[in-house]
Amino acid sequence: MIITSKSNPLIKTVASLSEKKYRKQHGLYLVEGIKPVRECISAGCEIDRIICTEQTASLFPSATIVSESVFKSISDEKTPQGVAAVVKMPENKLKPPSGSCILLDCLQDPGNLGTVIRTANAAGYGEIYLINCTDAYSPKAVRASMSGIFFVNVYQGCREEILGVLSGVPLICANMNGENIFGFSPPEKFCLCIGNEGGGISEEVKDRASYTVKIPMRDTCESLNAAVSAGIAMYALKNKNQR
């Protein structure tokens, strides 16, 4: 049976996952594309269902099949591949990190957030704490994470809650007035803090910082993109620890 109506209750629910309030209400988010869906399955994520068009149904035998027009109505992609997984959001209760981690303070661009998650996974940071950030499970953030979202633990909470579970973990804040990160020797376990794209790190987080570091730049450059800064800092700090 092929679903051909956009008014189908299932389709309406899946389409609603483009909005944060419905993702939260249903506890679900959407993963699109053949490779991301396969990686989602391999990662052991809890998948509610897979939705395919007829052209891709042979790749996922147990999928719900929909028409091309119906799939386009639920897709966030410009050129949909005809495969999407409806995935249950992990219920990550706040707890202290098991190793070095990342704290993102009010990051608002989903592309930046997804890129940070992607890089954190690549660099070996398994825990990411979010204070008043954009939704890590929005379609754009999930896409930008390039499957990284499946392999890290994302924790969300208010500033007091997050700083509470990080109590005892040295915070390293990225700030232009800090010490050159390439000459800095981090402690064995730390939390790298990255701030808002325009405003930087909040005063509350700065006040808790044990260290402040900067990425040196030419005078002709005022600042770096938040995700780029995070990536450089992640690898610089990890490399120091691994020597």
Side-chain angles (χ1 to χ4, degrees), residues 1-18:
M1 177 180 173
I2 301 175
I3 298 176
T4 58
S5 172
K6 298 174 187 177
S7 299
N8 179 283
L10 168 63
I11 300 307
K12 290 174 74 173
T13 297
V14 175
S16 75
L17 300 180
S18 62

Side-chain angles (χ1 to χ4, degrees), residues 119-172:
T119 310
N121 177 50
Y125 295 83
E127 294 153 306
I128 301 175
Y129 295 83
L130 308 182
I131 296 176
N132 299 330
C133 290
T134 189
D135 186 11
Y137 295 96
S138 71
K140 188 173 181 180
V142 170
R143 184 165 59 249
S145 82
M146 294 295 287
S147 299
I149 192 75
F150 311 142
F151 301 101
V152 299
N153 290 317
V154 176
Y155 300 98
Q156 305 185 61
C158 68
R159 187 169 281 107
E160 293 74 19
E161 291 173 328
I162 297 291
L163 291 177
V165 298
L166 293 175
S167 177
V169 180
L171 302 188
I172 301 175

